[in-house]
Amino acid sequence: MFHMNYTKIYASIVLRAQAEYRQRRSRQRQGYYYELHHIIPKSLGGIDRLTNRALLTAKEHFICHWLLVRMYPSGSPEYCKMLFAFWRMRS
C-alpha cells in the first residue's frame, strides 16, 4: 500500500517558500499575489514571528492547509482545528 508522507510534503513547500522569501517579497511589491501562512498554525501554538511565516502562492496555501488536515489523526483536536481552518479557506 502506498502511503504519502504529508509532513514531508508540507515541509518541502514551506522550506522552499522560506528560501525564496526575499524574491517573493520583491515580487509582491511588483503586484504578484502571495498569501501569508503561519507554518505552525496559531491555533496549534504557533507564534506570529517571521520565523513562523511563509509567503505562499494561493495554490501552495490551499495545498498546505489540506496537508495540515491530513497530518493529524482523524477526530483529534488538531485535526478538528485544521479541518475548520481548511473549511474557512474554501468559503
Side-chain angles (χ1 to χ4, degrees):
M1 182 173 145
F2 179 72
H3 176 69
M4 293 185 80
N5 188 333
Y6 301 112
T7 304
K8 185 176 179 180
I9 297 166
Y10 179 79
S12 70
I13 293 169
V14 167
L15 288 171
R16 184 182 62 232
Q18 284 183 312
E20 296 175 358
Y21 180 78
R22 289 183 184 189
Q23 287 176 308
R24 290 177 183 224
R25 272 300 278 149
S26 177
R27 287 185 196 137
Q28 192 178 40
R29 288 186 206 104
Q30 297 170 11
Y32 286 79
Y33 180 75
Y34 290 98
E35 298 177 353
L36 184 63
H37 175 69
H38 288 90
I39 300 162
I40 299 171
K42 289 174 74 176
S43 64
L44 299 182
I47 58 175
D48 194 20
R49 297 240 169 102
L50 185 59
T51 55
N52 189 42
R53 292 184 278 183
L55 286 176
L56 302 177
T57 65
K59 182 178 181 178
E60 288 171 335
H61 200 195
F62 184 85
I63 290 168
C64 279
H65 274 273
W66 179 81
L67 290 167
L68 282 165
V69 172
R70 301 295 299 201
M71 286 165 50
Y72 293 98
S74 181
S76 69
E78 297 85 1
Y79 172 86
C80 293
K81 288 177 183 180
M82 295 303 93
L83 187 60
F84 179 73
F86 181 64
W87 177 80
R88 292 273 320 250
M89 161 175 247
R90 295 176 26 143
S91 302

